[in-house]
Amino acid sequence: MKILVTGGLGFIGSHTVVELQNQGFDVLIIDDLSNTSLEVLDGITNITGKVPAFEKLDLREKNKVQDFFRRHVDIVGVIHFAASKAVGESVENPLLYYENNISTLVYLLQELQKKEEASFIFSSSCTVYGQAEKMPITENAPIQTAMSPYGNTKQIGEEIITDTAKVTNINAILLRYFNPVGSHPSAEIGELPIGVPQNLVPFITQTGMGLRKELSVYGDDYPTADGTAVRDYIHVVDLAKAHVIALQRLLNKKNLEKVETFNLGTGTGSSVLEVIHAFEKVSGQKLPYKIVGRREGDITSAYANTDKANNVLGWKAQSTLEEAMASAWKWEQKVRKAK
Ligand SMILES: NC(=O)c1ccc[n+]([C@@H]2O[C@H](COP(=O)([O-])OP(=O)(O)OC[C@H]3O[C@@H](n4cnc5c(N)ncnc54)[C@H](O)[C@@H]3O)[C@@H](O)[C@H]2O)c1
């Protein structure tokens, strides 16, 4: 069965391609290489022993998207990762985000609605919950006004898919990720941010390598056990496996609604200091860090209630935070050795 993975050379996409190929799916990747490189294809091939089909294509080019689907009529499912994801940049340049995250989604759905049936998996985010009132966060927690254009694109994206599924043959699953971290245990693929990392874990591993002087911990006066902000860090390989299970659910027509939503997290919250300590344990070295003031827009705490993913989707995160940190560290060391 031919599956299109958009953004399939990115961080989460590449790990998902590996899991799809391991399960025997015929994978076709689209990526415009705006936030990744062609080397990722080699990494995927080294792990799976199979070269995935790849086309360099910018999904904002509607004509090219149409032409692509004309050439690949046998696509039965799409996992849509391609998007821009830097929150700060989205505040500076909202239209870039609305174009890249919304127009591209519309063009894809326009092609899929022409099919007799189609399965669609969407990369959403726990940002849709904002600072939820109750922890852990269930899928029924209210959606809050987005704090950035990026966050808004995820909310609007969910709405576009829901409205479209009602009147087309598209079935969809919205996956709300908590905080994806780590890399494939082989260290063949991993997270490689361009420029200064926006996320905690690559910043930690780069600091561990001496590429950054020290880590700034934004705030130690939050109402949490140690005062630092709490998130739910989910190993990217666990996350990737959830995509395959979600896709199989749609392809096997096991979905109970046209659009289903699942939280993907571990169910456990970890503070910034706990993440630092996990890194120190697996790397055997001290991490230089300093406490600075809170960062605007940061919430106190977010971790998932995973009951629905566990019981309905039949998926559960397996890896611990330490395993995720060890894999991230292994990857960082390998990348820097190669440079
Ligand atoms: N990483 C996270 O913390 C996180 C959390 C929640 C949700 N998400 C969502 O998951 C998805 C994947 O995230 P990621 O961390 O793997 O990001 P990523 O940047 O590593 O991957 C996205 C890929 O899409 C490609 N791309 C971007 N715009 C494109 C376009 N117009 N046409 C074709 N390709 C394009 C990029 O080159 C990149 O390879 C995104 O939709 C993101 O918003 C990520």
Side-chain angles (χ1 to χ4, degrees):
M1 286 209 232
K2 195 176 273 183
I3 306 301
L4 168 63
V5 181
T6 74
L9 294 186
F11 171 43
I12 308 168
S14 58
H15 289 82
T16 303
V17 169
V18 165
E19 299 305 323
L20 285 168
Q21 293 203 151
N22 283 345
Q23 294 298 316
F25 284 100
D26 191 4
V27 178
L28 185 46
I29 297 173
I30 283 181
D31 203 299
D32 68 351
L33 304 180
S34 57
N35 199 31
T36 186
S37 76
L38 266 183
E39 286 165 31
V40 178
L41 264 184
D42 299 333
I44 295 170
T45 309
N46 290 344
I47 298 169
T48 62
K50 194 172 170 216
V51 193
F54 167 69
E55 280 196 36
K56 182 170 185 282
L57 196 155
D58 183 342
L59 289 165
R60 289 174 297 188
E61 297 189 56
K62 185 174 177 173
N63 292 341
K64 292 200 175 153
V65 174
Q66 289 173 332
D67 172 63
F68 176 88
F69 275 91
R70 257 180 243 127
R71 285 184 285 114
H72 299 283
V73 284
D74 49 348
I75 289 171
V76 293
V78 177
I79 307 185
H80 181 42
F81 292 105
S84 302
K85 63 166 184 177
V87 173
E89 187 188 42
S90 80
V91 176
E92 307 274 307
N93 196 347
L95 292 180
L96 180 80
Y97 277 66
Y98 288 117
E99 183 184 28
N100 205 33
N101 296 7
I102 301 297
S103 306
T104 56
L105 173 65
V106 171
Y107 300 157
L108 282 172
L109 294 174
Q110 281 174 335
E111 295 311 305
L112 290 181
Q113 71 172 359
K114 295 176 187 164
K115 292 182 175 289
E116 253 168 51
E117 55 186 18
S119 301
F120 192 78
I121 310 284
F122 181 62
S123 295
S124 190
S125 166
C126 67
T127 56
V128 301
Y129 301 120
Q131 178 56 73
E133 263 177 36
K134 280 195 218 136
M135 290 299 135
I137 304 170
T138 69
E139 288 81 354
N140 295 326
I143 303 294
Q144 310 246 18
T145 305
M147 288 198 278
S148 69
Y150 167 74
N152 206 20
T153 65
K154 293 298 169 191
Q155 298 192 7
I156 297 169
E158 288 195 358
E159 288 172 5
I160 290 172
I161 294 164
T162 306
D163 289 343
T164 307
K166 274 184 204 149
V167 292
T168 63
N169 290 328
I170 299 170
N171 284 271
I173 291 185
L174 314 175
L175 297 176
R176 292 179 180 156
Y177 314 153
F178 279 66
N179 291 65
V181 294
S183 82
H184 194 271
S186 64
E188 287 287 347
I189 53 173
E191 186 173 14
L192 194 55
I194 294 172
V196 180
Q198 307 285 313
N199 292 334
L200 177 63
V201 172
F203 205 105
I204 287 179
T205 54
Q206 288 196 9
T207 307
M209 286 305 285
L211 296 170
R212 314 264 157 218
K213 194 168 138 263
E214 63 188 354
L215 170 76
S216 295
V217 176
Y218 296 107
D220 67 349
D221 57 353
Y222 283 105
T224 61
D226 63 22
T228 62
V230 166
R231 301 285 183 274
D232 185 339
Y233 296 94
I234 166 91
H235 196 302
V236 66
V237 173
D238 280 331
L239 192 68
K241 287 180 177 163
H243 289 74
V244 181
I245 295 171
L247 180 70
Q248 283 165 332
R249 181 175 172 83
L250 292 181
L251 294 174
N252 297 331
K253 303 191 185 347
K254 293 277 161 49
N255 49 316
L256 304 175
E257 294 165 87
K258 290 273 299 181
V259 180
E260 295 180 313
T261 306
F262 296 99
N263 282 343
L264 296 181
T266 64
T268 302
S270 303
S271 71
V272 177
L273 292 182
E274 283 173 325
V275 178
I276 292 173
H277 295 145
F279 171 77
E280 290 180 331
K281 191 167 169 201
V282 300
S283 68
Q285 66 180 59
K286 280 267 163 225
L287 188 82
Y289 71 88
K290 65 170 181 214
I291 309 283
V292 298
R294 291 185 186 191
R295 195 169 48 175
E296 210 193 308
D298 275 353
I299 56 168
T300 302
S301 181
Y303 53 97
N305 178 313
T306 59
D307 289 351
K308 191 176 174 200
N310 299 163
N311 302 329
V312 179
L313 191 60
W315 165 91
K316 197 173 181 5
Q318 303 293 332
S319 299
T320 63
L321 178 61
E322 279 181 19
E323 285 165 341
M325 295 308 288
S327 69
W329 182 228
K330 185 176 171 189
W331 163 249
E332 185 74 57
Q333 289 174 295
K334 183 185 158 188
V335 168
R336 299 307 153 191
K337 214 181 273 170
K339 293 221 165 191

